[in-house]
Amino acid sequence: MEKPANQARLVKAPEHFISQELIADINTNGLDENRRGFLRKGFMSALGGAAAGLTAPLAMAAGEGDVFILEKQEWQTTLGKNVATMPYGMPSIYESNLIRRESPGLTRVSAASVAFTPLQGLFGTITPNGLHFERHHQGWYNVDPDKHRLMVNGMVKNPRVFTMNDLMRLPSVSRTHFIECGANTGLEWGNVAVPTVQYTHGMLSCCEFTGVPLKVLLEECGANLKKGKFMLAEGGDGSGMTRTINLESCLNDTIVAWAMNGEMLRPENGFPLRLVVPGVQGVSWVKWLRRLEIGDMPWASKDEAVHYIDLMTDGSHRQYTSVQECKSVITTPSGGQQLLDKGFYNVSGMAWSGRSKIKRVDVSFDGGNNWRTARLETPVLTKSITRFNIDWVWDGSPAILQSRAIDETGYVQPSIKALRDVRGTRSIYHNNAIQSWKLDSNGEVSNVQVG
Amino acid sequence: MYKLDKLTALIGFVALLVLGAQGAFAQSDSSKFPGIGRHATMAEVAAWDIDVRPDFKGLPKGSGSASKGEIIWEAQCSSCHGSFGESNEIFTPIVGGTSKEDQKTGKVASLKDNKQPQRTTLMKVATVSTLWDYIYRAMPWNAPRSLSADDTYALVAYILSLGEIVPSDFVLSNTNIAEVQAKMPNRNGMNLQHGMWNANGKPDVNAKACMNNCTQFVQIGSTLPEYARNAHGDIALQNREYGPYRGSDSTKPPLQKLPAGSSMQPKSVAVADTGPAALFKGKNCSACHAPNAKLVGPSIEQVAAKYKNPADLAMLSTKVIKGGAGAWGAIPMPAQDVTAAESKALVEWMLSGGK
């Protein structure tokens, strides 16, 4: 086995990539985004030239040091941008690869589709609002909050109407929870189908949601919670999306929410109001929420009677399968990624459970034969994403990386084989199997299934 | 004077009544949260409370024949769902895969034998109320809530006749819908016998957390097919181009060995998402027009093939702004919120085949 490199590699700098004209222009007019772009482009092409074996004069003899240390950079020698140049900030232009993406061929029309969160590039537990996954049934709208209403009716003493002004005056809570589409990882029920964790697990986000507890609203309206065990939540979009909520199970932690990570919900995520049903699949977190009806039986609305149902091997469907069971995935490294070199790596991932808190995560580097327990990073919250990390020295030989989460109910995340033994292979929803990533000796990570 | 006083009093009383009504409208009667929310009026509840449950609670009176449903279907539904509800072009098929035998048992046999390539709506749906509710609240897809109750009865009747659940001259109404329910092919096909409806439910799988020597040998059962390597575009451009974990260049075969020794070079500098392609997506043109498959409207390819005359550019640019009657089917194109310059750029881009 070769020793891993133990010092930073020196990258030779291509010099003189800036033309005299550009230098003169910068001296006269200063730097703006356009000129920065030129600098970058000039530098890249010079770099490419050097790599192609052209003999560019070096800044200094090899071994003397890193040109990015030895030479001054434009960002330390010129004036930067003013405050509020971007009044609502954006990520660095160097982060532009990490965006929500659709999976080509998954749906035919974009207004009834999914855009996946780039889990391969996220840190910690919170999903940035601009990267929260999107799934719409009939397109999204910028709903005017001043015209938005929430109605509560059905088995209540006082059917009531609330405006956003009303709702935002009520006592609110802020809680961090994951939201996962019931179909997340559904593409992988039969076999490996997609290359990266963005597409295998990216219908998953985790945010701090702020809103009024559902219970407060229902009590305010005099809901009959003895006979009314179910609630219909209805959206204000074209699909008039409806879902039955099992109150017995969800009443205590459901929130009627208007905020996400400190700002109002984004339009793609239900601005100005959505339901937050912790632990339950995303389709029940009705967006553009406009009506709550209390009733004494489930509604069998379209998505709970035709789509979000699990086909079993005997041809029967299980209906109202709502709970998202304990699950985890390694996000770095993950499918489609490339390691540059052998040596030490921090292997990191996410774990979550719709029933409770994460208790433990184990990681295997040999396809599930031997396991080591990972570090859980705080906070470890109920029905929320927990970040795990584990140290690893890669010796350059092929490996299969897996993570296995255990929640506080004692539930252990199963293998894909164990799940298929019970649910067959033609299901779409609730695939919470252990994910395997194969690392080859060329440093490339790919999606595989073990067993 | 007495009379006048009486009149004044009457006016005052009426004014009080009106005020009182407005007061109830505008204010809360809550003691816990005074000033928050108000009563919903009966008209308001009626306007929004349109859901229909499996026991038909909420179903409005009305009726519609399958033959009337066929006319509405052809005009408003068939472009997405096919003439016989069998299309798999835009949404999964509605009709197919059910038999007379299924209507007797109430369980769809083709859900078990896997012979049907797609699970259709009629194979899965257990309750006819579900069809009624969804069509009434959300269809047609690009003009939801535009159907009357009678239209909806007619459409449900037509769909059921395509599935041979009712005869083609059937008239569905609120009074006979329960009889239809008794013939739904998959009415007994759903169950709640599982632990995933309630948060305290019992899971159906629970693994053991073995730590060492857990398996004899590791067998890889499935890998990413070669053709799928680049099916989602260049993975290198979907990852950071710095840091320890880069994206693989999926446009090329895997590397022969570790890239150590030569640095991986960034492939991209951020490019702003502008131009007609972004406009096409941003203005939601892609909801109806795909690159080369007909959706609600013609594909970009079809448009480019049809309009070759230089004068077409101006004609189509105007049509985008004003909207127009369907030249490719019954569904008209709605007017688009674009400037003249944007419309011209969009049409030029489409006529060049979206390049």
Side-chain angles (χ1 to χ4, degrees):
Chain A
M1 169 190 146
E2 229 181 293
K3 261 190 165 174
N6 57 5
Q7 63 180 47
R9 203 170 298 119
L10 285 184
V11 181
K12 290 177 180 177
E15 236 216 347
H16 305 315
F17 67 92
I18 310 173
S19 71
Q20 288 305 316
E21 291 83 353
L22 185 55
I23 291 170
D25 182 45
I26 290 168
N27 285 340
T28 321
N29 301 313
L31 266 174
D32 62 12
E33 200 45 52
N34 198 16
R35 295 190 187 92
R36 279 184 219 272
F38 270 123
L39 284 178
R40 222 162 14 240
K41 243 162 71 188
F43 180 66
M44 290 313 164
S45 64
L47 208 65
L54 295 179
T55 49
L58 294 175
M60 59 219 50
E64 208 172 312
D66 185 341
V67 69
F68 296 117
I69 296 171
L70 299 175
E71 295 214 329
K72 293 171 187 142
Q73 304 299 324
E74 55 159 308
W75 45 84
Q76 61 171 167
T77 54
T78 51
L79 181 62
K81 288 189 196 304
N82 292 334
V83 299
T85 300
M86 291 191 286
Y88 208 137
M90 291 288 288
S92 159
I93 56 166
Y94 297 103
E95 285 291 287
S96 61
N97 287 352
L98 292 153
I99 53 174
R100 293 189 287 232
R101 292 175 191 272
E102 287 181 77
S103 178
L106 187 61
T107 58
R108 313 288 166 97
V109 277
S110 223
S113 189
V114 177
F116 296 81
T117 294
L119 301 180
Q120 69 274 18
L122 297 192
F123 304 98
T125 59
I126 298 293
T127 310
N129 285 342
L131 297 179
H132 189 298
F133 79 93
E134 283 180 83
R135 198 275 184 258
H136 313 309
H137 296 82
Q138 214 140 342
W140 64 267
Y141 265 96
N142 238 321
V143 172
D144 182 344
D146 213 31
K147 295 177 183 160
H148 191 74
R149 304 285 182 270
L150 175 71
M151 182 188 288
V152 182
N153 71 314
M155 297 171 72
V156 297
K157 272 195 204 119
N158 310 309
R160 294 181 77 75
V161 171
F162 300 92
T163 61
M164 289 307 298
N165 296 349
D166 289 330
L167 293 169
M168 293 168 74
R169 283 165 67 179
L170 289 169
S172 67
V173 295
S174 296
R175 304 233 171 85
T176 303
H177 290 295
F178 77 84
I179 168 171
E180 182 182 23
C181 176
N184 200 27
T185 324
L187 290 166
E188 307 269 304
W189 263 113
N191 47 264
V192 170
V194 290
T196 72
V197 73
Q198 180 159 16
Y199 306 108
T200 58
H201 289 75
M203 285 193 274
L204 170 74
S205 297
C206 184
C207 297
E208 184 198 69
F209 293 95
T210 299
V212 55
L214 173 68
K215 215 173 177 175
V216 169
L217 278 183
L218 295 190
E219 278 168 6
E220 176 67 4
C221 299
N224 180 349
L225 297 175
K226 285 220 170 85
K227 286 187 177 161
K229 295 287 179 203
F230 303 97
M231 179 178 80
L232 185 77
E234 181 177 278
D237 61 324
S239 72
M241 187 67 196
T242 42
R243 279 293 300 190
T244 301
I245 309 297
N246 180 359
L247 285 176
E248 204 181 343
S249 167
C250 309
L251 185 60
N252 286 331
D253 54 8
T254 298
I255 306 169
V256 173
W258 51 81
M260 185 164 99
N261 294 336
E263 63 175 24
M264 285 298 284
L265 292 163
R266 295 280 174 102
E268 313 92 284
N269 302 115
F271 176 88
L273 201 64
R274 87 174 302 168
L275 201 61
V276 166
V277 197
V280 167
Q281 61 185 356
V283 67
S284 294
W285 298 40
V286 172
K287 300 199 288 283
W288 314 288
L289 181 73
R290 73 168 196 181
R291 195 167 68 92
L292 300 169
E293 179 178 350
I294 304 300
D296 55 5
M297 66 180 281
W299 273 262
S301 67
K302 186 258 292 177
D303 275 19
E304 54 207 20
V306 179
H307 295 308
Y308 293 77
I309 48 179
D310 300 338
L311 180 64
M312 308 301 283
T313 49
D314 66 356
S316 69
H317 276 116
R318 299 203 305 194
Q319 198 174 2
Y320 303 106
T321 44
S322 304
V323 176
Q324 295 296 105
E325 297 189 295
C326 184
K327 187 167 171 180
S328 70
V329 65
I330 294 171
T331 51
T332 49
S334 57
Q337 290 190 329
Q338 172 76 51
L339 272 58
L340 303 184
D341 210 344
K342 292 178 272 194
F344 182 87
Y345 285 91
N346 180 51
V347 170
S348 186
M350 301 164 161
W352 62 101
S353 168
R355 296 197 204 262
S356 61
K357 282 182 191 173
I358 291 297
K359 190 169 77 185
R360 196 176 97 196
V361 178
D362 301 323
V363 173
S364 171
F365 295 95
D366 59 8
N369 193 28
N370 296 289
W371 298 80
R372 282 199 285 140
T373 296
R375 298 190 304 275
L376 298 188
E377 308 304 338
T378 52
V380 179
L381 300 169
T382 187
K383 302 176 186 179
S384 175
I385 282 177
T386 298
R387 172 65 63 172
F388 65 86
N389 288 304
I390 190 164
D391 297 348
W392 190 44
V393 177
W394 183 42
D395 66 6
S397 50
I400 295 175
L401 282 66
Q402 298 179 327
S403 64
R404 175 183 69 194
I406 305 172
D407 70 17
E408 285 198 330
T409 70
Y411 178 92
V412 180
Q413 187 184 0
S415 67
I416 183 75
K417 186 183 176 301
L419 268 188
R420 284 186 187 134
D421 284 349
V422 179
R423 300 191 194 152
T425 57
R426 295 180 76 233
S427 246
I428 295 172
Y429 302 95
H430 310 292
N431 179 355
N432 65 322
I434 288 172
Q435 171 69 43
S436 305
W437 304 119
K438 182 168 185 282
L439 171 59
D440 276 314
S441 51
N442 63 358
E444 186 168 310
V445 185
S446 61
N447 185 4
V448 299
Q449 285 180 357
V450 168
Chain B
M1 284 301 115
Y2 173 74
K3 265 187 169 177
L4 193 65
D5 278 348
K6 205 173 169 186
L7 185 67
T8 314
L10 188 67
I11 292 169
F13 182 63
V14 170
L16 261 177
L17 271 181
V18 171
L19 271 175
Q22 279 176 343
F25 218 80
Q27 280 174 13
S28 162
D29 61 349
S30 166
S31 51
K32 195 166 182 193
F33 304 113
I36 307 282
R38 62 167 177 82
H39 288 294
T41 69
M42 280 167 73
E44 287 172 336
V45 173
W48 274 11
D49 188 359
I50 60 165
D51 55 81
V52 181
R53 303 198 309 194
D55 62 353
F56 303 117
K57 184 170 174 280
L59 186 71
K61 283 182 185 161
S63 68
S65 65
S67 52
K68 182 188 163 199
E70 181 175 9
I71 296 166
I72 304 169
W73 180 273
E74 281 303 323
Q76 303 196 53
C77 318
S78 62
S79 58
C80 284
H81 296 292
S83 278
F84 304 102
E86 81 300 352
S87 170
N88 193 30
E89 280 302 306
I90 296 180
F91 298 110
T92 45
I94 295 177
V95 178
T98 60
S99 70
K100 287 279 175 202
E101 185 59 26
D102 297 340
Q103 289 174 38
K104 283 183 203 152
T105 61
K107 287 193 92 170
V108 170
S110 56
L111 287 171
K112 192 179 175 184
D113 64 22
N114 288 357
K115 283 179 187 154
Q116 196 69 13
Q118 284 275 352
R119 276 175 266 166
T120 70
T121 302
L122 287 187
M123 282 165 70
K124 292 188 284 184
V125 69
T127 44
V128 67
S129 63
T130 304
L131 288 177
W132 206 100
D133 177 88
Y134 190 67
I135 293 170
Y136 187 58
R137 76 170 53 247
M139 287 291 121
W141 196 63
N142 55 353
R145 298 294 297 276
S146 63
L147 296 167
S148 69
D150 286 347
D151 289 347
T152 307
Y153 279 107
L155 282 169
V156 173
Y158 182 61
I159 292 170
L160 295 172
S161 76
L162 289 173
E164 296 178 359
I165 297 162
V166 301
S168 58
D169 60 355
F170 191 76
V171 180
L172 180 71
S173 70
N174 57 303
T175 53
N176 67 7
I177 198 165
E179 294 158 36
V180 173
Q181 174 58 36
K183 293 200 280 181
M184 289 299 280
N186 202 38
R187 63 185 178 278
N188 301 325
M190 302 253 185
N191 69 72
L192 262 165
Q193 312 308 309
H194 58 78
M196 291 172 69
W197 172 225
N198 193 307
N200 303 319
K202 186 178 178 295
D204 50 27
V205 180
N206 200 347
K208 293 261 184 301
C210 166
M211 293 303 282
N212 294 111
N213 298 317
C214 303
T215 174
Q216 293 262 295
F217 60 90
V218 174
Q219 188 184 7
I220 292 179
S222 175
T223 57
L224 189 73
E226 191 47 45
Y227 66 81
R229 180 173 163 80
N230 198 40
H232 286 72
D234 188 350
I235 303 301
L237 296 178
Q238 300 178 21
N239 279 271
R240 278 193 185 87
E241 294 177 86
Y242 60 95
Y245 301 115
R246 310 290 174 90
S248 309
D249 183 347
S250 56
T251 64
K252 297 185 184 125
L255 301 172
Q256 292 297 307
K257 55 183 175 59
L258 273 175
S262 68
S263 76
M264 298 260 297
Q265 289 188 20
K267 291 184 87 165
S268 71
V269 173
V271 184
D273 197 12
T274 55
L279 205 56
F280 184 78
K281 213 177 163 192
K283 293 290 178 186
N284 239 5
C285 313
S286 58
C288 296
H289 303 281
N292 40 37
K294 187 179 183 299
L295 299 181
V296 179
S299 68
I300 294 173
E301 201 175 51
Q302 287 172 311
V303 172
K306 179 171 174 180
Y307 297 102
K308 301 278 188 199
N309 189 327
D312 291 338
L313 175 63
M315 183 276 289
L316 290 173
S317 304
T318 309
K319 193 169 170 176
V320 168
I321 293 168
K322 293 191 170 165
W328 300 79
I331 295 185
M333 182 168 74
Q336 302 299 318
D337 172 29
V338 289
T339 65
E342 283 174 335
S343 179
K344 186 163 170 280
L346 268 172
V347 175
E348 275 175 346
W349 178 78
M350 280 188 88
L351 294 182
S352 74
K355 305 238 162 45

